[in-house]
Amino acid sequence: SFKILLAKNLPALNYISVKLLSAGNLAVTIKHIPIIKLELYIERLNFCALTICKKHQKHLTAKNVKIGLCNYRASANQTLVYQQAKSALTLSQQSPLQHCHRLGISHSRVNIFSNNQIIKSIKKNKFVIYFQPLFELDSGRILQHEVLIRVRGGANELLLANAGINQLDNDQDAFLFDQAIIIKVKKLLLADTSAAIISISLHPKNWFNKAFWQWLITQVSDFKIEHKLQFEINAADFFKYQIRLQGVLKIITKLNYQIIIDGIKSSDHIIQLVNYPQVLGVKLAYDLVHSIEASAHQQSCVKNIVNACQLLNIAVFASDVETKQELQMLTILGVDAAQGFYFTQLLPDFTQTVFH
C-alpha cells in the first residue's frame, strides 16, 4: 500500500521499491534521481511519507515520522548504503526539529570490513599508506597531505578515513590502529628530505587516551623542524568534550603541531574557536560539499561558516570534491582549500602534483 501511494504521489519516478525490514523500518529505494534535483525529491519524499501515514493515523504530526536517507551511485556497496541510511535515521530520531536527515556515500567509501578484519590486517601489516593533497584554491599550492590507508583482506580492499576508523570499538584496537599509521608515516618523513605537513585523522578514543599521547611524544622526538603533523578531530567530539581535551591541546601546542576540525555542518559553534589557537582550520562536512552547486541551503551554510572563520583567521577546507561544479561554487563562496578525487587519485608518496 505504501509503495502504491508513494508511486502515485511521485509519478515522475520510474523505479520505486519498498521493503519492510526486520527491525520494523520501511526501506525505500528510488533510482535515477538527477543530482541537481536531489534536495527537491527529498522534500517531496518527506512530504509524501507524512501524508500517507496521516491517512492511517490522523493524529500524527511531522515529528512522528522520521526519515533517514543515503544518496549513492550505482556501484556503491549495498550493505554500506543501508548502514548509512540507518545512521541517518538515528540522527533524525535524535533531533526534535530535523525530521529528515541525509548521509551521502562519497567516492572513497567503497567497501566495509568487520573490526576483526581491520585489526587482523593491521597486525599482519596488510595495509598501505596513501596521501591525498589539500590544494590552496587561489595558488594551487599543496598545503598538506592527508593520510588515508587501504586495508587488504583476501580479494577485498577497503579505503579507510574517518568513516572506517570510527567503527573500532575498544581502546586497544584504536591505539593499535593509530600506532601503526604513525610509525609508517614517521619512516616516510624521516626518509624524505623535503618539508612536509602530514594530516592524520585520529581515532576518537585516542584523543582521550593519555598512554597514546605519551607514546606519541617519544615517537616524534627525532623529527626535524620542517616535519610537522596535524591531527584531525570530528566536530561533534571537539565541541562536546572541550574540557576533557585541555591536556591534549597543551601537548599539541608544546609539539608545535595543529588541529583541523572535521565534519563542520554549520557556523553555530565557530565562535568558540577563538579560545583555541591550536585550531588551524575546519573541514566542511561531506553533506555540505556534495552537489553544493544545486543547493541554496548548502551554499548559505558554507558562506556563513566562511564568514565566521574569517573573523577568527581560521581556514576553511573542503574534502571529497568530485566535480568541477562543486569546486567552482566552493571557490565563489570563499573556501580556502580543497581535496578530493576531482583533483587527483591517491598518491603513494609525497609529490608536487600539478593543480588544474
Side-chain angles (χ1 to χ4, degrees), residues 20-76:
L20 180 62
L21 303 181
S22 57
N25 300 323
L26 280 176
V28 179
T29 301
I30 302 174
K31 289 186 177 180
H32 311 305
I33 300 292
I35 288 293
I36 197 169
K37 295 183 178 180
L38 182 62
E39 295 298 329
L40 173 63
Y41 277 108
I42 288 174
E43 291 178 7
R44 288 181 179 176
L45 178 63
N46 193 12
F47 176 78
C48 289
L50 178 60
T51 302
I52 293 169
C53 290
K54 288 183 73 171
K55 288 182 180 293
H56 294 272
Q57 295 186 40
K58 294 184 179 180
H59 68 280
L60 292 180
T61 63
K63 68 179 181 180
N64 302 124
V65 180
K66 297 288 189 172
I67 298 179
L69 301 110
C70 174
N71 59 286
Y72 60 96
R73 294 177 179 174
S75 59

Side-chain angles (χ1 to χ4, degrees), residues 9 28 63 83 92 129 138 145 220 227 236 238 246 270 296:
N9 283 277
V28 179
K63 68 179 181 180
Q83 285 196 346
S92 179
I129 291 278
D138 61 356
H145 290 82
V220 301
H227 291 152
F238 182 86
Q246 293 305 311
I270 298 295

Side-chain angles (χ1 to χ4, degrees), residues 48-209:
C48 289
L50 178 60
T51 302
I52 293 169
C53 290
K54 288 183 73 171
K55 288 182 180 293
H56 294 272
Q57 295 186 40
K58 294 184 179 180
H59 68 280
L60 292 180
T61 63
K63 68 179 181 180
N64 302 124
V65 180
K66 297 288 189 172
I67 298 179
L69 301 110
C70 174
N71 59 286
Y72 60 96
R73 294 177 179 174
S75 59
N77 179 284
Q78 292 301 297
T79 302
L80 185 54
V81 169
Y82 271 82
Q83 285 196 346
Q84 286 287 93
K86 186 177 179 181
S87 296
L89 178 60
T90 300
L91 292 172
S92 179
Q93 290 170 331
Q94 292 173 348
S95 172
L97 299 175
Q98 188 174 0
H99 311 309
C100 184
H101 196 92
R102 174 173 64 89
L103 294 175
I105 293 185
S106 69
H107 184 72
S108 61
R109 298 172 187 172
V110 294
N111 210 331
I112 188 162
F113 280 23
S114 68
N115 293 359
N116 289 337
Q117 284 177 300
I118 293 173
I119 293 302
K120 188 176 180 181
S121 297
I122 294 295
K123 287 180 177 179
K124 291 185 176 182
N125 203 32
K126 290 186 176 180
F127 72 97
V128 180
I129 291 278
Y130 283 89
F131 299 92
Q132 188 168 61
L134 178 74
F135 295 97
E136 190 173 48
L137 294 187
D138 61 356
S139 69
R141 182 170 60 98
I142 294 177
L143 300 180
Q144 65 183 45
H145 290 82
E146 181 184 356
V147 173
L148 299 173
I149 76 166
R150 288 192 187 275
V151 175
R152 296 168 179 170
N156 296 321
E157 195 174 68
L158 172 65
L159 180 64
L160 282 176
N162 283 339
I165 64 175
N166 288 354
Q167 72 185 61
L168 300 175
D169 53 11
N170 68 66
D171 292 352
Q172 185 178 356
D173 287 349
F175 196 144
L176 179 65
F177 185 88
D178 283 345
Q179 192 177 44
I181 293 173
I182 288 172
I183 288 173
K184 278 207 172 187
V185 168
K186 178 182 177 180
K187 289 180 179 178
L188 290 169
L189 279 173
L190 293 179
D192 187 72
T193 57
S194 61
I197 298 177
I198 305 299
S199 180
I200 301 174
S201 294
L202 294 180
H203 191 284
K205 289 184 177 294
N206 286 328
W207 283 96
F208 311 106
N209 188 340

Side-chain angles (χ1 to χ4, degrees), residues 206-327:
N206 286 328
W207 283 96
F208 311 106
N209 188 340
K210 291 182 179 178
F212 171 80
W213 290 98
Q214 291 171 354
W215 172 86
L216 180 69
I217 291 172
T218 63
Q219 290 298 307
V220 301
S221 60
D222 50 352
F223 272 6
K224 300 174 184 177
I225 192 169
E226 64 267 23
H227 291 152
K228 291 190 177 182
L229 297 181
Q230 292 173 354
F231 298 110
E232 299 193 17
I233 183 171
N234 182 268
D237 291 331
F238 182 86
F239 291 115
K240 184 176 181 180
Y241 300 112
Q242 294 177 58
I243 304 301
R244 289 181 60 189
L245 287 168
Q246 293 305 311
V248 170
L249 294 175
K250 289 180 181 178
I251 292 174
I252 289 174
T253 300
K254 187 176 180 179
L255 293 173
N256 198 28
Y257 295 161
Q258 291 175 305
I259 293 175
I260 295 173
I261 301 178
D262 190 22
I264 293 288
K265 295 185 177 181
S266 74
S267 60
D268 292 348
H269 302 292
I270 298 295
I271 190 62
Q272 297 178 32
L273 299 181
V274 69
N275 300 315
Y276 298 100
Q278 303 90 344
V279 177
L280 164 75
V282 300
K283 274 189 180 178
L284 302 173
Y286 172 74
D287 287 351
L288 287 183
V289 175
H290 182 61
S291 302
I292 187 172
E293 76 282 359
S295 171
H297 173 70
Q298 290 170 236
Q299 293 167 26
S300 176
C301 287
V302 170
K303 189 59 181 174
N304 289 338
I305 292 169
V306 169
N307 290 341
C309 286
Q310 285 177 343
L311 293 174
L312 303 179
N313 198 28
I314 293 174
V316 179
F317 306 143
S319 57
D320 293 313
V321 177
E322 297 180 356
T323 67
K324 182 178 181 180
Q325 292 75 20
E326 290 173 352
L327 175 62

